[in-house]
């Protein structure tokens, strides 16, 4: 496993801490125009992801890994379909742990 460039677990509210850095986020897909995907983050805020999604249709919930831009959007590198049901509350708690007192365990 390559640990040279880890992706931090984030929600929409945490993006401003990671501009220019690699992150991973789970979101509920609300709409897509083929270049930009708008979704709802685990913290219930809007998340904008730029970059072409994979050719297969996106599921209701996806994880995206990419670089945070200055406008607090994510430039996607990797998309992963997570299906039509996921526990967003648990992922939100994971984001809080990964960016709080247990941050050293995640990076």
């Amino acid at each position: 496993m390559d640990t040279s460039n880890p992706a931090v677990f984030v929600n929409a509210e945490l993006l401003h801490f990671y501009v220019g850095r690699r992150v991973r986020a789970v979101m509920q897909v609300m709409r897509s125009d083929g270049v930009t995907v708008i979704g709802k983050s685990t913290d219930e805020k809007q998340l904008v992801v730029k970059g072409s999604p994979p050719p297969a249709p996106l599921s209701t919930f996806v994880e995206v890994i990419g670089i945070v831009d200055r406008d607090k959007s994510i430039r996607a590198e990797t998309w992963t379909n997570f299906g039509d049901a996921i526990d967003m509350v648990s992922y939100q708690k994971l984001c809080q742990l990964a960016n709080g007192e247990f941050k050293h365990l995640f990076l």
Side-chain angles (χ1 to χ4, degrees), residues 31-66:
R31 65 183 180 277
S32 172
D33 65 9
V35 177
T36 302
V37 176
I38 307 294
K40 184 166 58 170
S41 177
T42 58
D43 58 1
E44 301 288 322
K45 294 183 174 25
Q46 180 175 288
L47 190 59
V48 177
V49 181
K50 298 175 182 175
S52 299
L58 292 175
S59 60
T60 303
F61 295 94
V62 298
E63 178 187 57
V64 63
I65 298 174

Side-chain angles (χ1 to χ4, degrees), residues 9-90:
F9 290 97
V10 297
N11 56 31
E13 190 169 340
L14 294 168
L15 288 177
H16 71 278
F17 291 117
Y18 297 103
V19 173
R21 293 198 41 210
R22 197 163 184 251
V23 297
R24 67 175 57 226
V26 169
M27 69 178 192
Q28 180 180 2
V29 175
M30 305 308 280
R31 65 183 180 277
S32 172
D33 65 9
V35 177
T36 302
V37 176
I38 307 294
K40 184 166 58 170
S41 177
T42 58
D43 58 1
E44 301 288 322
K45 294 183 174 25
Q46 180 175 288
L47 190 59
V48 177
V49 181
K50 298 175 182 175
S52 299
L58 292 175
S59 60
T60 303
F61 295 94
V62 298
E63 178 187 57
V64 63
I65 298 174
I67 306 297
V68 180
D69 283 333
R70 289 187 183 158
D71 63 359
K72 295 186 223 143
S73 64
I74 298 174
R75 257 181 300 121
E77 297 172 347
T78 305
W79 299 82
T80 304
N81 281 328
F82 270 24
D84 294 324
I86 186 172
D87 186 350
M88 296 283 274
V89 173
S90 292

